[in-house]
Amino acid sequence: MGMGEVKQAESYRERIARRAAQEIADGMIINLGIGIPTLVADYIPKEKHVLFHAENGILGTGPSPAPGEENPNLCNAGGFPVTLVRGASFFDSTTAFGIIRRGKLDMTILGALEVSERGDIANWIVPGKRVPGMGGAMELAQKAKKVMVLTTHLDKNGRSKIVRECSLPLTAKACANLIITDMAVMQVRSDGLYLLEVMHPYTVGDVIGATEAELKLDGEVGVYR
């Protein structure tokens, strides 16, 4: 199978996760939220030593296990099976949240229902659905040194999830640093939201047209394939 065929078979979720993995540096301690963020662990090069943190008490979760090799006693905070990397450790949930609240995480990668152009995140109430609660998202969004949001650009009704003002209850204000969608890579700066890259085959015009928030440009916009 050629490289072009591999990319064609790749889902939008996998491409978002692959792009997000490029933002991760060697030695980082990172928390992965439920959804697309959990896929990021599958795209970390073996030469990078990264420790993934889970609120249920693990530091050092690895890629998803192969089908049939899942350990029923080993899962992340979302209940999905995980593997461990060398040097992983276990602890209680109090310690797990202590790591978050003391600002020890280099990065948290979260999903979102809405993100505003100022970096406000709304990701815990799904309209019309019962939810168990906010979980650790509030603390993660406020305390991590860098917050990256992975989401689809549009909701199931075709509305922009990158908005001027969030209409859903907020998880945290002005916390997102980088937003990666199936259409674009955007950076939140002090003076607004900047379009850094478009996802092939979308154009800058496509992204601006699909985005409710105001997108600013600073030099040439890259293309991610």
Side-chain angles (χ1 to χ4, degrees):
M1 183 179 287
M3 181 60 73
E5 292 174 285
V6 171
K7 288 188 176 180
Q8 191 173 19
E10 183 181 52
S11 73
Y12 73 86
R13 291 163 58 90
E14 291 166 335
R15 182 155 69 155
I16 292 171
R18 177 162 58 87
R19 174 60 184 85
Q22 293 187 357
E23 299 295 318
I24 294 174
D26 188 59
M28 277 188 166
I29 297 176
I30 302 166
N31 183 283
L32 300 177
I34 295 171
I36 300 173
T38 61
L39 302 176
V40 175
D42 295 337
Y43 292 91
I44 305 299
K46 290 183 178 179
E47 62 270 17
K48 283 188 180 179
H49 182 63
V50 175
L51 289 177
F52 288 108
H53 165 279
E55 296 105 300
N56 58 329
I58 308 174
L59 186 61
T61 64
S64 303
E69 296 184 11
E70 300 91 345
N71 180 341
N73 297 313
L74 194 59
C75 66
N76 61 22
F80 295 99
V82 294
T83 58
L84 298 176
V85 299
R86 185 176 181 182
S89 58
F90 299 99
F91 34 79
D92 62 18
S93 189
T94 301
T95 302
F97 274 86
I99 291 171
I100 298 171
R101 292 166 181 161
R102 288 293 302 273
K104 300 297 185 182
L105 295 180
D106 295 299
M107 181 187 293
T108 186
I109 306 178
L110 299 171
L113 297 168
E114 292 178 333
V115 190
S116 82
E117 59 191 36
R118 291 189 303 274
D120 303 337
I121 296 176
N123 78 345
W124 71 282
I125 286 186
V126 182
K129 293 188 178 180
R130 296 182 65 182
V131 294
M134 187 177 287
M138 177 176 65
E139 286 130 328
L140 288 165
Q142 292 184 50
K143 296 296 186 179
K145 294 172 186 173
K146 183 173 182 179
V147 177
M148 184 158 55
V149 174
L150 309 184
T151 184
T152 55
H153 208 91
L154 306 174
D155 67 16
K156 62 183 180 181
N157 297 311
R159 293 187 293 256
S160 174
K161 295 170 74 172
I162 317 302
V163 296
R164 292 180 183 273
E165 299 277 351
C166 293
S167 60
L168 296 171
L170 294 184
T171 304
K173 291 184 177 181
C175 58
N177 303 109
L178 196 70
I179 306 164
I180 302 177
T181 74
D182 52 329
M183 294 183 73
V185 179
M186 296 152 283
Q187 184 181 52
V188 180
R189 301 181 188 172
S190 58
D191 61 337
L193 185 62
Y194 283 78
L195 178 60
L196 302 185
E197 298 174 18
V198 295
M199 295 287 199
H200 179 78
Y202 296 107
T203 65
V204 171
D206 291 335
V207 175
I208 291 175
T211 308
E212 183 198 300
E214 179 186 355
L215 288 176
K216 298 184 177 183
L217 305 179
D218 183 13
E220 186 176 351
V221 176
V223 178
Y224 187 73
R225 297 177 183 273

